[in-house]
């Protein structure tokens, strides 16, 4: 059973930064498109950013474009999400997910296309 583990969440003030990371012991991130997703209380899970295995293309949700940066370290088999200029509306549980093969473009931000999820890490932004 592949286990994806996220870390780096926490409580920060608006305008601050956080860096999230995820890794997995039995899943090669460079062989899969990977993404970060989030779910706020009472809301559906949504895609935040993805990193495609096909040409290392990155896709961002409009709400985070210019503030968040997704990256992958093949040597460490980690996926990171650098989050800057955080806003209270960024408060959510953040999940790392492995995306099904063959999915590309903005479809990589669709939670329905994820076949393996981490347990999540909580991000809380105070105003």
């Amino acid at each position: 059973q592949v286990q994806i583990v996220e870390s780096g969440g926490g409580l920060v003030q608006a305008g601050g930064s956080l860096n999230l990371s995820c890794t997995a012991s039995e899943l090669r991130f460079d062989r899969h498109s990977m993404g970060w997703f989030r779910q706020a209380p009472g809301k559906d899970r949504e895609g935040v950013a993805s990193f495609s295995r096909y040409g290392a293309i990155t896709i961002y949700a409009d709400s985070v474009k210019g503030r968040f940066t997704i990256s992958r370290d093949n040597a460490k088999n980690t996926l990171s999400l650098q989050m800057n200029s955080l806003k209270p509306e960024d408060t959510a549980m953040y999940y790392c997910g492995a995306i099904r093969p063959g999915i590309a473009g903005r479809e990589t931000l669709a939670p329905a296309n994820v076949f393996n999820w981490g347990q999540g890490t909580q991000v809380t932004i105070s105003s």
Side-chain angles (χ1 to χ4, degrees):
Q1 179 76 23
V2 174
Q3 186 173 12
I4 296 175
V5 179
E6 301 97 333
S7 62
L11 170 65
V12 298
Q13 289 187 329
S17 299
L18 280 173
N19 188 277
L20 306 183
S21 293
C22 76
T23 189
S25 59
E26 297 182 20
L27 182 75
R28 286 278 303 274
F29 285 4
D30 60 350
R31 294 180 181 175
H32 298 274
S33 295
M34 299 293 299
W36 284 98
F37 302 79
R38 67 187 181 187
Q39 187 166 18
K43 295 188 176 181
D44 293 335
R45 192 169 298 189
E46 62 176 358
V48 174
S50 67
F51 195 106
S52 172
R53 65 162 292 192
Y54 307 109
I57 297 170
T58 55
I59 303 287
Y60 294 93
D62 290 343
S63 59
V64 306
K65 200 173 295 183
R67 300 188 297 122
F68 290 11
T69 302
I70 189 171
S71 61
R72 186 183 70 199
D73 186 324
N74 292 339
K76 296 180 180 179
N77 200 43
T78 59
L79 184 77
S80 298
L81 185 69
Q82 176 66 41
M83 306 188 295
N84 299 326
S85 302
L86 284 161
K87 305 175 181 179
E89 51 263 44
D90 294 319
T91 294
M93 185 72 80
Y94 281 70
Y95 299 91
C96 180
I99 299 163
R100 283 201 288 266
I103 303 299
R106 297 202 72 81
E107 287 302 307
T108 58
L109 296 182
N113 290 325
V114 173
F115 72 90
N116 198 308
W117 292 102
Q119 83 291 348
T121 185
Q122 178 66 39
V123 171
T124 304
I125 312 303
S126 63
S127 57

